[in-house]
Amino acid sequence: MDKKTRVAVIGVGYLGRVHANIYRQLDNVHLAGVFDTDEKRARSVAADLGCESFSSLESLLDNVDAASVVTPTNTHYDITQTLIKKAIHVLVEKPICESYEKSLELVQLAEKAGIIFQVGYLERYNAAVIELGKHIHQPQFIETHRLGMFVERAIDVDVVTDLMTHDIDIVLSLIQSPLKTISATGLSVLTEHIDIANARLEFENHAVANITASRVSSKIYRQMRLFEKNHYYSLNFENQQLTITSTKSQCRSNDDIVVEKPEVTPQLTLNAELSAFIHSVNTGKTPLVDGRTGLEAIRVANLICKKIHER
Ligand code: NAD
């Protein structure tokens, strides 16, 4: 029988306990244990999942091959650095760190250590995003909205760093051209950080992305619209559906317009992401969102925040 990958989850709050539960169910994984500075929480999750509750980060280092870091963003740097120094493969939740500089340090450290370093941009595993990738050629205008209600989590960082980075990451993966200019606006509404923001990214190939993120909305709304010659794509992140509106090379009437909804089977994005991580650990395959890719998203997020603060 193949050896199972021993995995730990660090931080078992809202998302970390889901990571742990998924690892527990993966055939080729042994959930070695969890660690959380909230000991009571760690013990409760460990009891539920039938795994060990480590008493410190240090105590798990010799017992695992890989780990998910699912703690607040401002703790990612110290924890991830400790793991990399022990050559433990890491899946760090998005964003890598709040600053580009710290994120770069971790990515370079991981490259030197030769470990798998994956960043948790789970929308890349959204079935509609995967389907979009099979159709789109050269988007010229992208508009995205990622709006959510206020929750008392992730308020250690602003909405650009927390939520908008998902869309920045997808936009950068679709528009393969250097970024030329950024203009942005945003404000803090409920917290001391930016809670709602809009950024306009212009690329050297003349493509434009208009990205909006909010954590002070009255409902959840996650949509992306993409336009290119003869095609308009409308993507709904929540129900993982894609609509493609196309026209013949020259549209003269409504009869020339065709609307299709490709057959897309929604998938559990986090399960797909964690399975892919374990696959990379076992095969050495570069993750879909590796350190350098995650770094680009935070670099652009930092530039957007700088523009907002300059206004
Ligand atoms: P949370 O506050 O619910 O949980 C964080 C947990 O980490 C808590 O249990 C806390 O006690 C623990 N913790 C804090 N400092 C620690 C430390 N130094 N060592 C060990 N444990 C520590 O937060 P959350 O919503 O689960 O978010 C955690 C991370 O996951 C964040 O980076 C966030 O950006 C990310 N996240 C990603 C997505 C996504 O869509 N990919 C969604 C939600 C959260």
Side-chain angles (χ1 to χ4, degrees):
M1 198 176 81
D2 287 345
K3 203 171 137 270
K4 291 191 173 195
T5 306
R6 299 168 306 162
V7 181
V9 176
I10 299 153
V12 280
Y14 163 73
L15 191 63
R17 69 180 69 205
V18 188
H19 275 239
N21 192 30
I22 292 171
Y23 283 132
R24 187 178 66 104
Q25 295 171 49
L26 292 181
D27 284 342
N28 48 357
V29 169
H30 166 61
L31 176 63
V34 298
F35 167 62
D36 196 299
T37 43
D38 181 337
E39 284 179 36
K40 205 171 147 209
R41 179 174 288 171
R43 277 201 298 272
S44 153
V45 172
D48 283 351
L49 302 182
C51 68
E52 192 170 335
S53 165
F54 293 106
S55 57
S56 65
L57 183 60
E58 287 64 36
S59 63
L60 69 78
L61 298 176
D62 292 326
N63 296 297
V64 300
D65 309 303
S68 276
V69 178
V70 202
T71 55
T73 302
N74 58 18
T75 65
H76 287 185
Y77 179 80
D78 287 344
I79 296 170
T80 307
Q81 186 175 216
T82 305
L83 296 170
I84 297 172
K85 284 184 176 162
K86 277 294 233 178
I88 293 168
H89 304 288
V90 179
L91 190 164
V92 59
E93 260 307 333
K94 47 62 35 189
I96 304 175
C97 294
E98 63 273 41
S99 81
Y100 171 75
E101 290 74 17
K102 281 183 166 182
S103 304
L104 176 62
E105 268 186 55
L106 291 182
V107 170
Q108 287 174 333
L109 211 57
E111 286 172 348
K112 226 168 131 192
I115 57 149
I116 295 296
F117 186 93
Q118 183 170 327
V119 189
Y121 284 106
L122 93 172
E123 292 287 27
R124 292 286 203 108
Y125 296 89
N126 185 307
V129 174
I130 294 168
E131 185 67 27
L132 173 72
K134 295 179 193 164
H135 299 270
I136 199 153
H137 308 284
Q138 199 177 12
Q140 284 154 343
F141 180 61
I142 302 180
E143 178 148 56
T144 78
H145 288 91
R146 186 170 296 271
L147 317 180
M149 282 90 71
F150 180 73
V151 285
E152 285 169 21
R153 289 183 284 102
I155 50 176
D156 58 315
V157 291
D158 56 80
V159 74
V160 177
T161 309
D162 183 37
L163 294 184
M164 194 187 274
T165 51
H166 280 294
D167 300 306
I168 295 170
D169 169 58
I170 294 174
V171 163
L172 295 179
S173 77
L174 294 173
I175 301 180
Q176 297 282 333
S177 173
L179 192 53
K180 202 167 125 198
T181 55
I182 296 178
S183 53
T185 186
L187 65 152
S188 69
V189 180
L190 296 179
T191 75
E192 62 189 32
H193 299 292
I194 302 158
D195 295 314
I196 179 162
N198 171 262
R200 179 183 163 92
L201 311 183
E202 294 187 32
F203 295 83
E204 293 205 346
N205 69 354
H206 306 295
V208 170
N210 188 19
I211 310 177
T212 301
S214 164
R215 57 183 175 196
V216 289
S217 297
S218 55
K219 59 176 186 181
I220 293 176
Y221 182 77
R222 293 176 184 162
Q223 284 272 353
M224 183 174 269
R225 297 180 182 83
L226 309 97
F227 301 82
E228 64 182 4
K229 186 76 185 142
N230 297 333
H231 302 284
Y232 157 45
Y233 306 86
S234 174
L235 188 154
N236 183 322
F237 287 100
E238 284 160 85
N239 62 18
Q240 304 192 22
Q241 293 303 305
L242 180 69
T243 305
I244 308 175
T245 307
S246 310
T247 174
K248 293 174 190 160
S249 52
Q250 207 169 9
C251 178
R252 295 186 194 282
S253 76
N254 277 351
D255 294 341
D256 294 328
I257 297 172
V258 180
V259 179
E260 42 171 342
K261 284 181 185 282
E263 180 100 13
V264 179
T265 308
Q267 65 170 347
L268 297 169
T269 49
L270 195 57
N271 293 51
E273 181 187 86
L274 301 192
S275 297
F277 172 55
I278 298 302
H279 182 68
S280 286
V281 168
N282 289 334
T283 61
K285 183 175 181 268
T286 304
L288 179 60
V289 186
D290 63 359
R292 292 282 159 182
T293 309
L295 201 53
E296 245 338 77
I298 196 62
R299 183 181 77 83
V300 174
N302 280 189
L303 290 172
I304 290 171
C305 289
K306 191 164 171 266
K307 286 283 176 193
I308 293 173
H309 290 301
E310 278 169 8
R311 276 177 89 96

